[in-house]
């Protein structure tokens, strides 16, 4: 047992675990990254616990890796260099809902579904919805988004303020609960997307939105992928505030049908949602329907009943789990790219053309209103040729994206395996990132081996 | 002549001026701060010029202070410790307009009116509108906003990416032209609001918005200030996307009448604007009209003609220049506070009650949809008792704002005289800011004596 863990047990008692199964659980996530076990896991229950744990780790130079729902897609929470996994899930209190100001203050371990459950009778909603039921601290740390970002923004726009514990164990509030401020460097935005490498987020203040008077979902299938994507481009260029506009290619429709029994036509498909007053929803949906028709789209298949809509979006959110029905025993090699909307059609069609050469199923889904899409390679990783081919295709995809002024992650983050792309995208910006990391974490104990140290 | 200026002249020739009148012009701004002359002024014409100038200054440890339109309200561009003023106004090229992606890439010296003039036939608009015709580099550096931020956001939401020259003279692109990204620390947001203390912004990529089909402005006067503010609070809580909702108290209405001959009733007044399709504008305006009626508001006085609207908003933007008509020979001591919307009524009424005790006219105007308002003390600063009383009232206003979870600047920034409030608002966050400043500008040459070094 390391000296740091011994000191942690002395200070925090039963909140510290060295149980091998617990350490295993905190040594992996939803990515393909190999297991790295922490030396111990601290189940923190308060800001004071976090301060205690970080100060002990700082005294020993021991790594500290925050851990929320464990739903990272890129290995963010894997303790590459051992040390302590800080499990935030017991910090799950909703501290305040300010309905008049459209905000909520929550501990970092609160999950998105928990918050929305709590808000149910308030007429308000928390909008950011990655597939998993992630914690808000984790979502802030990866600058997460999801299906509604096209209308309501990502965590970048949704996080108003944070409380963090710095690498030296100081508590800092990064900002105030106001709509705007011009008082100093934007510390809030610095910690959003920092992937746990600058400090531990303990509290998150997020923007809420009113639940719209009318919510209407629609499905529209297309004769061609080009027609579906062109409809998205034209919708965005008409600047309509569509609430969701999600693309599924034929393979993804197969998966959704098999997994959730949706009975959809096997064709490139858009899932749409409109929010607003009755008249305003009607006006928006008529405009998009006309654009779809012009691009070979079917009539809209409408779901206005809550249960039908819930089933539809559950199927969309669970696409990652539905791949087994397409190829039993497969693992999904997921990618995540985002391009300017003017390059979207070209980017998606090139990805599909590449996919058509692959010896395994390839699925494309996307939050296409933001220019963001995921190509998933359904491989058997124990077959080395398949893994190598997925890596070759992913490399082509990422390079092509960056050549189109795009980014190698729209929402999943950098994590471990994509650190190699950081300098290709950011150039000398990586040196600024390293300088910031060295300034806020001079010992390099916060989630080491990742963003801010490498790349 | 300093050694740095000698070297700058050798490298950049006639782009460098040591003319006393030119130095005077770059030694003050629109604030009450005393003059500090730079040793020299460099009229940079390209990114390469900026790199050359910064490298020479870095070699000599000479301060570098970027200067745009000179419209700062808080002394940001005043070279407190001498050195070199970097005049950005010749870097005024619009480099690209990507109409399909709703963005534009401009050099830092481009002004907001210049960009909108350029966009005139494109159907697009740049929305951030501080009173002055500021440069986009300066607006990014102060995290500026204005009357339309309530709908379209401030520079925080509007700046997509920047090019900057760091304190060591390196060129860095802070991000890419995409709607979202999760690849690393948010360098863009770090430079937005940094007030020229972390590097020189040379290029700004901003979000554009489509010019709406219908724009309708309305004026509504109220029996009481409480009724006007309550209407704003209810409008925001109804989550309608009102495009502008500006408050003017009776003193401000007097000023607007005298300056622009608007002929408005002397009463607390809202200036409103609605953007959208014809049906959607009608629906929004009917809702707000009903809220106003419930709070003692008059009927709406509509302006849908472009000239009338232009006259109205010109009067609003020029309120700072209109104070002379209220008290000839006065100077305006301007403040800038922002509170959560739930505290707005209390904050404005308390500010008015304080103002009613003052021995000089006091004007309150505000971008109240954001919780942001300005109390202007129309003093004769050569009368020491008036200056002291304005300072006493401002101190009460700022402290009360912070006690209400508010911020001591909604949009004007920190500058010089408000550095004393930084720690009251941010606590230990100021130490993080200092660490960031020391990391990116270890010599302390970028706009020294301000944000990141003091507070």
């Amino acid at each position: 047992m390391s000296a740091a863990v011994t000191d942690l047990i002395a200070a925090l008692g039963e909140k510290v675990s060295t149980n091998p199964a617990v350490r295993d659980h905190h040594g992996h996530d939803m990515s393909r990254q190999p297991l790295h076990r922490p030396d111990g896991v601290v189940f923190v229950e308060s800001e004071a616990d976090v301060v205690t744990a970080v100060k002990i780790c700082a005294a020993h130079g021991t790594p500290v890796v925050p851990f929320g729902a464990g739903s990272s897609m890129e290995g963010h929470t894997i303790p590459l260099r051992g040390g302590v996994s800080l499990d935030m899930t017991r910090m799950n209190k909703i501290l305040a809902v300010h309905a008049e100001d459209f905000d909520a203050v929550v501990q970092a371990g609160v999950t998105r579904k928990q918050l929305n459950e709590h808000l149910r009778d308030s007429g308000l909603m928390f909008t950011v919805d990655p597939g998993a039921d992630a914690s808000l601290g984790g979502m802030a740390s990866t600058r997460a988004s999801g299906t509604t970002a096209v209308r309501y923004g990502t965590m970048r726009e949704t996080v108003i303020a944070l409380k963090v514990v710095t690498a030296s164990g100081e508590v800092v509030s990064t900002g105030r609960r106001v709509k705007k401020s011009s008082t100093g460097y934007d510390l809030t935005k610095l910690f959003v997307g920092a992937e746990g490498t600058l400090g531990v987020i303990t509290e998150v203040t997020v923007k809420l939105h009113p639940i719209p008077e009318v919510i209407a979902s629609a499905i529209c299938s297309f004769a061609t992928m080009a027609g579906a994507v062109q409809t998205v481009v034209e919708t965005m260029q008409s600047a309509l505030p569509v609430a969701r506009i999600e693309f599924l290619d034929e393979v993804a429709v197969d998966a959704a049908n098999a997994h959730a029994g949706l009975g959809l036509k096997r064709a490139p498909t858009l899932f749409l949602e409109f929010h607003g007053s009755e008249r305003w929803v009607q006006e928006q949906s008529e405009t998009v329907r006309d654009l779809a028709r012009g691009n070979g789209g079917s009539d809209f298949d409408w779901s206005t009943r809550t249960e039908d809509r819930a089933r539809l979006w559950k199927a969309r959110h669970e696409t990652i789990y539905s791949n087994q029905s397409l190829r039993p025993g497969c693992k999904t090699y997921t990618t995540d790219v985002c391009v300017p909307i003017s390059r979207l059609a070209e980017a998606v069609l090139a990805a599909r053309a590449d996919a058509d050469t692959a010896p395994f199923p390839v699925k494309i889904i996307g939050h296409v209103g933001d220019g963001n899409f995921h190509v998933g390679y359904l491989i058997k990783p124990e077959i080395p040729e398949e893994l190598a081919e997925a890596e070759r295709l992913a490399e082509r995809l990422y390079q092509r994206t960056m050549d189109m002024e795009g980014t190698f992650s729209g929402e999943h983050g950098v994590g471990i395996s994509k650190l190699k792309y950081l300098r290709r995208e950011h150039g000398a910006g990586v040196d600024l990132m390293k300088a910031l990391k060295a300034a806020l974490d001079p010992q390099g104990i916060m989630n080491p081996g990742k963003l801010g140290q490498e790349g």
Side-chain angles (χ1 to χ4, degrees), chain A residues 268-311:
Chain A
T269 297
L270 295 180
F271 286 9
L272 293 142
E273 195 163 275
F274 304 96
H275 292 180
S277 66
E278 197 167 336
R279 275 198 290 175
W280 178 221
V281 162
Q282 192 189 337
E283 188 171 341
Q284 294 176 68
S285 56
E286 282 169 3
T287 305
V288 180
R289 184 201 58 200
D290 292 347
L291 295 175
R293 274 189 191 151
N295 290 302
S298 68
D299 283 346
F300 280 11
D301 180 11
W302 285 101
S303 313
T304 44
R305 291 200 316 154
T306 308
E307 312 84 87
D308 294 346
R309 281 193 289 105
R311 195 158 133 261

Side-chain angles (χ1 to χ4, degrees), chain A residues 199-447:
Chain A
V200 182
I201 294 175
T202 56
E203 204 176 291
V204 191
T205 302
V206 289
K207 204 180 284 187
L208 304 175
H209 295 272
I211 296 175
E213 193 185 322
V214 173
I215 302 180
S217 297
I219 297 175
C220 182
S221 65
F222 289 80
T224 63
M225 181 179 267
V229 177
Q230 187 56 28
T231 301
V232 175
V233 172
E234 291 173 9
T235 300
M236 297 319 295
Q237 288 170 357
S238 74
L240 275 183
V242 59
R244 283 165 156 160
I245 185 161
E246 295 284 311
F247 171 76
L248 292 84
D249 76 353
E250 289 161 285
V251 183
V253 168
D254 273 347
N257 281 339
H259 180 72
L262 290 186
L264 300 177
K265 181 177 168 188
R266 190 178 192 280
T269 297
L270 295 180
F271 286 9
L272 293 142
E273 195 163 275
F274 304 96
H275 292 180
S277 66
E278 197 167 336
R279 275 198 290 175
W280 178 221
V281 162
Q282 192 189 337
E283 188 171 341
Q284 294 176 68
S285 56
E286 282 169 3
T287 305
V288 180
R289 184 201 58 200
D290 292 347
L291 295 175
R293 274 189 191 151
N295 290 302
S298 68
D299 283 346
F300 280 11
D301 180 11
W302 285 101
S303 313
T304 44
R305 291 200 316 154
T306 308
E307 312 84 87
D308 294 346
R309 281 193 289 105
R311 195 158 133 261
L312 180 69
W313 293 110
K314 188 165 182 291
R316 169 61 191 84
H317 277 124
E318 292 181 354
T319 48
I320 187 77
Y321 309 114
S322 65
N323 297 340
Q324 288 302 320
S325 42
L326 291 184
R327 190 182 189 199
C330 77
K331 295 266 184 192
T332 307
Y333 186 124
T334 303
T335 61
D336 172 31
V337 295
C338 187
V339 294
I341 203 83
S342 61
R343 310 299 293 270
L344 179 66
E346 184 187 356
V348 174
L349 294 173
R352 188 69 253 171
D354 261 12
D356 289 341
T357 68
F360 37 71
V362 178
K363 192 174 84 170
I364 302 180
I365 55 173
H367 313 306
V368 275
D370 290 323
N372 180 207
F373 63 94
H374 307 293
V375 182
Y377 310 109
L378 278 51
I379 61 172
K380 299 205 171 174
E382 62 276 16
I383 305 176
E385 293 76 15
E386 292 206 358
L387 183 58
E389 179 63 4
E391 279 176 350
R392 190 186 71 85
L393 291 173
E395 165 65 31
R396 281 173 60 85
L397 174 71
Y398 285 120
Q399 188 56 53
R400 191 192 302 122
T401 300
M402 289 184 273
D403 292 343
M404 288 181 180
E405 301 184 72
T407 176
F408 69 83
S409 175
E411 58 181 7
H412 292 172
V414 180
I416 297 169
S417 69
K418 293 199 290 185
L419 281 163
K420 64 184 172 197
Y421 298 121
L422 205 60
R423 197 167 285 272
R424 282 196 237 170
E425 180 169 325
H426 289 285
V430 177
D431 301 319
L432 289 196
M433 294 184 200
K434 288 181 176 178
L436 297 173
K437 165 75 175 179
L440 298 197
D441 178 20
Q443 278 198 99
I445 62 167
M446 296 306 313
N447 206 359

Side-chain angles (χ1 to χ4, degrees), chain A residues 135-144 155 159 162 191-195 201 204:
Chain A
S135 69
L136 267 65
M139 289 168 64
S141 289
T142 43
R143 206 180 291 126
M155 286 301 271
V159 175
L162 297 167
F191 281 90
V192 171
E195 305 193 353
I201 294 175
V204 191

Side-chain angles (χ1 to χ4, degrees), chain A residues 8 11-12 15-16 42-59 62 64-67 84-92 107-109 163-172 196 198-203 445-446:
Chain A
L8 285 166
L12 296 166
K15 295 173 190 171
V16 184
V42 184
F43 291 86
V44 288
E45 296 179 2
S46 66
E47 181 183 281
D49 286 352
V50 177
V51 170
T52 301
V54 170
K55 285 194 169 167
I56 289 171
C57 288
T62 296
V64 179
V65 183
F67 185 98
V84 171
S85 179
L86 223 55
D87 188 301
M88 307 299 292
T89 54
R90 293 186 190 168
M91 289 187 65
N92 62 355
Q107 288 186 319
K163 270 179 95 172
V164 298
V165 173
T166 67
S168 59
E170 301 300 310
V171 175
V172 172
L198 299 180
V200 182
I201 294 175
T202 56
E203 204 176 291
I445 62 167
M446 296 306 313

Side-chain angles (χ1 to χ4, degrees), chain A residues 140-182:
Chain A
S141 289
T142 43
R143 206 180 291 126
S145 53
T147 66
T148 62
V150 64
R151 166 78 174 262
Y152 299 106
T154 72
M155 286 301 271
R156 181 178 62 188
E157 290 78 30
T158 302
V159 175
I160 298 170
L162 297 167
K163 270 179 95 172
V164 298
V165 173
T166 67
S168 59
E170 301 300 310
V171 175
V172 172
S173 293
T174 64
R176 295 202 163 206
R177 211 167 53 72
V178 282
K179 284 190 68 185
K180 62 185 200 183
S181 171
S182 287

